[in-house]
């Protein structure tokens, strides 16, 4: 993948299909994906992030979550973190708490990068504009957030 990063999309599609096979993929995929997350080019990691953040088939969700957690524990490139947001938000129906935690965690990682806060804000605005229900969901999350400090 290092010499042919243009193959990132087909590799991600293949990963998506393998993950949807469920537990049968558990023994083979983690070592392969871990290697790509550790040493793969940014394009490849972003393509993989898109697959890992999407819900996929119910049988694939535990392994997707596990691999996504691995990605988020190591990743610091804004384009890869953006890919997580753009993949997760449109599929967040029925996974409210999980989506909220993922958006929060990704935001915390993004704001630690140069221009990351701006990128995070722009991504949230863009997603609120284009992902059905996301603006209302964000407003609800903000209304439920505990307040710290004095209220004016």
């Amino acid at each position: 993948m290092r010499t042919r990063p243009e193959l990132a999309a087909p590799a991600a599609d293949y990963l998506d299909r393998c993950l949807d096979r469920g537990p049968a993929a558990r023994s083979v995929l983690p070592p392969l994906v871990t290697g790509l997350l550790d040493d793969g080019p940014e394009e490849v990691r972003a393509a993989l992030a898109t697959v890992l953040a999407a819900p996929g088939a119910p049988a694939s969700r535990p392994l997707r979550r596990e691999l996504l957690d691995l990605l988020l524990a190591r990743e610091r490139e804004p384009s890869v973190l953006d890919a997580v947001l753009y993949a997760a938000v449109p599929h967040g129906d029925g996974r409210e708490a999980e989506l909220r935690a993922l958006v929060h965690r990704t935001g915390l990682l993004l704001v630690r990068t140069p221009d990351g806060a701006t990128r995070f804000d722009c991504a949230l605005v863009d997603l609120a504009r284009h992902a059905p229900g996301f603006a209302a969901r964000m407003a609800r999350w903000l209304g439920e957030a505990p307040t710290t400090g004095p209220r004016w």
Side-chain angles (χ1 to χ4, degrees):
M1 298 299 309
R2 186 169 273 163
T3 60
R4 303 276 313 269
E6 70 275 6
L7 296 177
D13 288 341
Y14 178 73
L15 173 63
D16 193 35
R17 288 191 307 276
C18 288
L19 283 166
D20 281 345
R21 291 185 188 140
R26 182 163 283 286
S27 63
V28 177
L29 289 180
L32 172 67
V33 174
T34 300
L36 291 171
L37 294 177
D38 285 343
D39 298 326
E42 187 176 332
E43 293 170 68
V44 172
R45 296 190 325 269
L48 296 178
T50 299
V51 169
L52 299 176
S60 74
R61 290 181 186 154
L63 184 54
R64 282 177 195 268
R65 256 184 259 118
E66 182 181 315
L67 293 170
L68 181 60
D69 283 343
L70 182 67
L71 177 140
L72 292 173
R74 302 171 182 194
E75 191 58 60
R76 298 300 174 260
E77 279 300 324
S79 65
V80 178
L81 297 170
D82 274 350
V84 169
L85 287 174
Y86 280 93
V89 166
H91 306 287
D93 297 338
R95 305 179 311 145
E96 186 79 16
E98 185 180 331
L99 179 62
R100 181 179 182 172
L102 181 59
V103 169
H104 185 254
R105 182 176 180 188
T106 307
L108 288 174
L109 291 171
L110 265 170
V111 300
R112 294 178 182 154
T113 66
D115 83 328
T118 302
R119 286 182 77 132
F120 184 58
D121 286 347
C122 289
L124 291 180
V125 168
D126 188 45
L127 288 163
R129 208 178 285 149
H130 296 101
F134 186 63
R137 187 176 284 146
M138 274 196 324
R140 187 172 53 255
W141 293 344
L142 291 171
E144 295 169 354
T147 57
T148 56
R151 293 195 59 114
W152 302 102

